[in-house]
Amino acid sequence: GDAPAIIIYDAGGTEIQRIGFEGTAWYGSPRWSPAANLIAMHRQDESGARYTVYSVDEARFVAESETPKVSDRIGGRCGGGDMWQTDWSRDGQRVLYSFTWGDTGANGIWSWDVATGERRVIVAAGAGSASAGSGTTVMFGASVQHIFIGSSDGGLPRIVTDGAQPAWFVGP
């Protein structure tokens, strides 16, 4: 059979491109850039975890960023369905991802500038998937029922709701 791959199809179902897996690597959570023909994704292989960016136009990986170091003080854990989720900033310059397995200061929402390689963190315990807003605004859940906003420039987040009351209501 065919080797595992991420396959890009056009709207008519014709295969456009195949992003192949090498060795024991696996990829997850691919996300299109809103500003270019790039796909960000999480990659795991024998050398560790990282986020990578694949250029559809060049048919190759063009950038990668290691995840923060996993703490040796945290026992084995398996995350939920949003583990390793990626998102792009709306301008397509930064890849956003959560990290919750590090020592103090490494956990939160990471913002990776693909062009420069610079990485910044919005520090938060138990951070979930990031969702990009306008400008540098990033929204994410953390610590079970809390919703925060922060800046992809890094720093500390602001709490939107503590989960005790709904932050908004959408009626029927």
Side-chain angles (χ1 to χ4, degrees):
D2 291 334
I6 295 173
I7 304 170
I8 303 169
Y9 295 97
D10 67 13
T14 302
E15 183 177 319
I16 301 298
Q17 199 166 117
R18 183 176 292 253
I19 304 169
F21 294 79
E22 296 182 21
T24 60
W26 59 266
Y27 298 81
S29 185
R31 294 283 186 261
W32 284 100
S33 168
N37 220 3
L38 301 172
I39 302 171
M41 65 191 77
H42 177 265
R43 175 181 173 181
Q44 178 81 37
D45 62 22
E46 57 278 344
S47 66
R50 67 186 63 64
Y51 284 84
T52 59
V53 173
Y54 181 85
S55 169
V56 176
D57 296 336
E58 297 178 41
R60 67 181 185 91
F61 289 97
V62 294
E64 72 176 31
S65 176
E66 297 287 325
T67 61
K69 181 181 179 296
V70 173
S71 175
D72 57 5
R73 296 182 289 224
I74 298 174
R77 298 166 42 186
C78 182
D82 65 349
M83 185 173 160
W84 306 120
Q85 290 293 317
T86 55
D87 197 13
W88 285 90
S89 58
R90 288 195 182 173
D91 63 7
Q93 294 180 342
R94 293 181 166 273
V95 172
L96 307 169
Y97 57 91
S98 64
F99 186 78
T100 61
W101 304 277
D103 291 325
T104 302
N107 298 314
I109 301 298
W110 283 82
S111 171
W112 165 41
D113 185 314
V114 175
T116 67
E118 176 190 49
R119 296 182 314 155
R120 296 180 180 177
V121 65
I122 305 169
V123 179
S129 299
S131 178
S134 61
T136 62
T137 303
V138 178
M139 181 180 70
F140 60 96
S143 302
V144 184
Q145 295 183 357
H146 295 74
I147 298 173
F148 292 89
I149 58 171
S151 170
S152 61
D153 290 334
L156 297 174
R158 293 186 315 264
I159 192 166
V160 175
T161 181
D162 63 3
Q165 297 292 324
W168 54 84
F169 175 77
V170 178

